[in-house]
Amino acid sequence: MVSRRRVVQAAVGGMFVLLPAATAPPRLRDLGGKGVLDPVKVDKYVTPLVVPPVMPQAGGSVAGHIDHYVIGVRQFQQQVLPSGLPATTVWGYGSTPHPRSFHYPAFTIEARAGTPVRVRWKNQLFDRRGRYLPHLLPVDPTLHWANPPGGASARDSHPGFRSTPGPYSGPVPIVTHLHGGQNSEESDGYTEAWYLPGALDIPAGYSEVGSFYEEFKDKFEDRFGDAWGRGDAVFQYANAERPSTFWFHDHALGVTRLNVYAGLAGFYLLRGGPADLPDGVLPGPAPRAGDPPGRKYYEIPLVVQDRSFHVDGSLYYPAGRTAFDGFKGPYIPDSDISPIWNPEFFGNTMVTNGRTWPVLQVEPRRYRFRLLNGCNSRHLILKIVTRPLARRPAAPALPFFQIGSEGGFLPTPIRRDQVLIAPAERADVIVDFTSVPAGTALYLINEGPDKAFQGGRAGADFSPADPATTGQIMKLTVGALTAPDRTVPPSQLSLPSFQPLGEASRIRRLSLSEQNSTSLPHVGPRQMLLGTLGRNGAAVPMHWDDPVTENPALGATEIWEIHNLTKDAHPIHIHEVQFQVLDRQQAGRAARPAEPWESGFKDTAVAYPGAVMRLKATFDRPGRYVWHCHMLEHEDNEMMRPYTVG
């Protein structure tokens, strides 16, 4: 029998969840066996942290009141591992008129409230001779995915096979989603609006675009008068939201996990307007266009990701299901188990801003860190400590003061000794080093598990990440103060207020479930599913291509009750809205209100196992969007559903 976890039921800190029975921590350093780089052999804290510069705008302007970018996706080599180890081939975004801007993660798009941003996103995954580049990682063609070989009639489908296929090796589809933005449907980066590179050798019969590409192309051109071209799409972001930490990443159907893992992610920071604070109140500056080399920054975005590498420096990602649970077949078509897809993936090496275990020299002053969990499946529990190998759970050395979440500022700063952050969640925090003597070494560590998170406390309910590898993130070395810190202490901050959402007109009951094999009953999971909830309280699982069941009226405010019937915690993301978390509740128990750090607006929130999470959102933009689990392996295999507004 293949069983991925054994669980017990518990209630921890008021959060009722399913928790793993006591087990030894997995040895991720052995992941993949022969040819995989042992993370213990990777030197830590020898590479300075990279602070992503600002993405350059395109020359000229489509209009005087619009910031214009031309951003491509290219393949290149980057020194992700420390110097002395091989470089890594990655994918990344960059400004096409500025070749040196291509980087993993991308340079940051700086946006201003009320000033639209228009981006021509170009798929440039081809070589110097114009021939398409295959994927860096193994693509499972048996999923419901973009499926370019299917042509116009079978693209975006679940293809059939007469024998178990190997990985897809054709041209790669992409489409970019601005995560957190509230924009019209044609600029959302809809998962079936993908497009292939404009290569010279696209095979005959392949579809070069997804099912919704041409519809959204026509709508955009009618609305904005800017034509899309072969191998690109043009999106416009209104920037009418509150100042927030957004990010952009790939969202192509069935390959998001691989495209993001290859490097397609970057920050998009929205500033200004009445819901922002004046300059000088919060730590700064952040990077700006035209900064001289060596400028010091006191506002720094940090994207934390887990990766694994081969000994030659290339990215490692499992090439078969066996890496997950040892199941060696039979696979599709002789069963219903996909041969390559892994239900989750946990790398054995931690990467921050595109470097393994970097070091940042800080001054004894306040810093603003915009934290993003960019992992595929891993929940992080971040903490600042004095000893990186301290017994877990370790004593915190400094607190975080959280001032914002995905949808902007919180009502008031929240002091936190640790920050639990799920994939795609963001936390805008201040760390005050004022009282720390020069010469002190501090460490940002991770006490989340090296497997699927199910709630609970590190050390009591699950084994924390390996302290020698995935339990460490980066080093913070305190140096001398170079200029006075005149920012406001977080305990004295007064944050901009906001208007809570109004009364809801409807409650929807939705479900999260997973399914094992129907032909091999003890093998699973086969796929994860969203759906509705029947009148009897049972899940009604839905696949990606089932008819739309969530269809709010334009302008409606609704409560979505999300019933998690699985054993894992799932970060749920709803596109194009910022919602409020109301409460969570286990059957037969009193509902518990949202956590203090969830008291603002969010676009991603954790649905705990065995519990109901209630969200409230106003749907004020007509169109077709999606909601999904942001564990990317889940999203890529059916745990995503379309919804329509209006």
Side-chain angles (χ1 to χ4, degrees), residues 552-577:
L554 181 61
T557 298
E558 297 191 350
I559 292 174
W560 287 18
E561 285 189 353
I562 298 175
H563 296 246
N564 185 356
L565 307 179
T566 78
K567 299 179 175 106
D568 295 334
H570 296 272
I572 299 300
H573 173 44
I574 306 176
H575 281 218
E576 299 307 323
V577 298

Side-chain angles (χ1 to χ4, degrees), residues 3-283:
S3 177
R4 66 171 174 166
R5 57 178 73 87
R6 186 164 54 96
V7 297
V8 295
Q9 192 168 3
V12 179
M15 187 60 65
F16 298 95
V17 296
L18 290 172
L19 301 172
T23 57
R27 287 181 52 81
L28 289 181
R29 66 186 68 180
D30 297 333
L31 184 64
K34 186 177 181 181
V36 176
L37 180 64
D38 184 346
V40 174
K41 298 179 179 178
V42 178
D43 290 337
K44 296 182 179 67
Y45 314 130
V46 295
T47 305
L49 176 78
V50 173
V51 180
V54 171
M55 181 74 74
Q57 294 190 30
S61 178
V62 294
H65 61 286
I66 295 175
D67 292 341
H68 180 220
Y69 297 82
V70 179
I71 298 177
V73 168
R74 295 179 183 173
Q75 179 172 300
F76 50 91
Q77 285 201 317
Q78 180 172 305
Q79 196 66 48
V80 181
L81 295 162
S83 177
L85 291 174
T88 301
T89 301
V90 296
W91 292 350
Y93 295 100
S95 172
T96 59
H98 306 86
R100 298 184 67 180
S101 67
F102 282 83
H103 191 264
Y104 153 64
F107 286 11
T108 299
I109 296 179
E110 283 278 349
R112 298 168 292 168
T115 300
V117 163
R118 186 175 298 181
V119 183
R120 184 175 297 275
W121 299 101
K122 300 178 73 67
N123 185 343
Q124 298 181 317
L125 292 174
F126 45 74
D127 64 19
R128 293 180 179 179
R129 288 185 281 181
R131 301 176 305 183
Y132 72 81
L133 294 167
H135 214 295
L136 297 174
L137 307 168
V139 176
D140 193 327
T142 69
L143 303 180
H144 190 140
W145 76 295
N147 191 34
S153 63
R155 60 189 171 183
D156 300 315
S157 70
H158 205 151
F161 295 90
R162 295 182 178 179
S163 60
T164 302
Y168 167 79
S169 58
V172 177
I174 69 165
V175 63
T176 300
H177 169 55
L178 177 58
H179 188 125
Q182 296 173 271
N183 300 290
S184 52
E185 60 178 348
E186 69 274 7
S187 295
D188 180 43
Y190 189 70
T191 190
E192 288 185 351
W194 52 265
Y195 45 97
L196 298 182
L200 300 176
D201 59 342
I202 301 298
Y206 274 46
S207 178
E208 294 196 29
V209 298
S211 305
F212 278 84
Y213 177 92
E214 292 187 2
E215 176 184 332
F216 290 157
K217 171 180 180 289
D218 292 342
K219 287 184 176 181
F220 189 92
E221 292 176 3
D222 289 344
R223 178 174 296 187
F224 298 110
D226 203 347
W228 298 12
R230 183 171 182 250
D232 73 31
V234 188
F235 297 162
Q236 183 153 314
Y237 309 119
N239 295 323
E241 305 89 352
R242 304 172 72 225
S244 303
T245 304
F246 300 152
W247 64 302
F248 54 94
H249 61 81
D250 182 75
H251 214 285
L253 183 66
V255 289
T256 298
R257 70 196 184 285
L258 305 175
N259 291 356
V260 172
Y261 191 89
L264 298 186
F267 281 97
Y268 184 110
L269 304 181
L270 179 58
R271 304 180 190 273
D276 207 348
L277 290 170
D279 288 345
V281 175
L282 298 177

Side-chain angles (χ1 to χ4, degrees), residues 279-454:
D279 288 345
V281 175
L282 298 177
R288 294 186 176 93
D291 281 347
R295 179 158 189 185
K296 292 181 178 293
Y297 299 116
Y298 306 118
E299 179 196 318
I300 300 174
L302 298 174
V303 54
V304 181
Q305 299 171 301
D306 55 344
R307 296 290 185 265
S308 293
F309 301 87
H310 291 103
V311 292
D312 65 0
S314 61
L315 289 169
Y316 165 83
Y317 189 89
R321 171 76 184 223
T322 307
F324 177 73
D325 56 13
F327 178 67
K328 298 181 180 179
Y331 300 120
I332 290 173
D334 301 313
S335 76
D336 53 5
I337 298 296
S338 292
I340 298 173
W341 175 76
N342 276 230
E344 289 119 20
F345 175 73
F346 299 90
N348 62 17
T349 305
M350 302 308 293
V351 177
T352 302
N353 290 2
R355 301 295 187 272
T356 56
W357 292 300
V359 58
L360 173 66
Q361 182 152 346
V362 299
E363 299 179 20
R365 59 183 301 143
R366 288 176 283 276
Y367 281 72
R368 181 184 187 182
F369 295 116
R370 296 181 185 251
L371 303 174
L372 162 63
N373 182 343
C375 300
N376 279 27
S377 295
R378 181 187 294 274
H379 286 64
L380 301 169
I381 300 176
L382 302 178
K383 188 182 288 185
I384 298 174
V385 301
T386 56
R387 294 186 298 123
L389 295 174
R391 180 180 177 85
R392 291 351 186 212
L398 284 177
F400 304 90
F401 291 88
Q402 185 167 344
I403 59 173
S405 55
E406 294 89 2
F409 290 116
L410 301 177
T412 187
I414 304 296
R415 178 184 170 127
R416 304 181 67 181
D417 286 336
Q418 62 185 31
V419 175
L420 166 64
I421 185 168
E425 281 192 306
R426 283 89 73 206
D428 191 350
V429 303
I430 294 174
V431 177
D432 192 346
F433 298 95
T434 302
S435 62
V436 181
T440 301
L442 298 170
Y443 299 86
L444 182 66
I445 66 166
N446 165 43
E447 293 186 343
D450 278 330
K451 58 182 179 179
F453 181 63
Q454 298 175 331

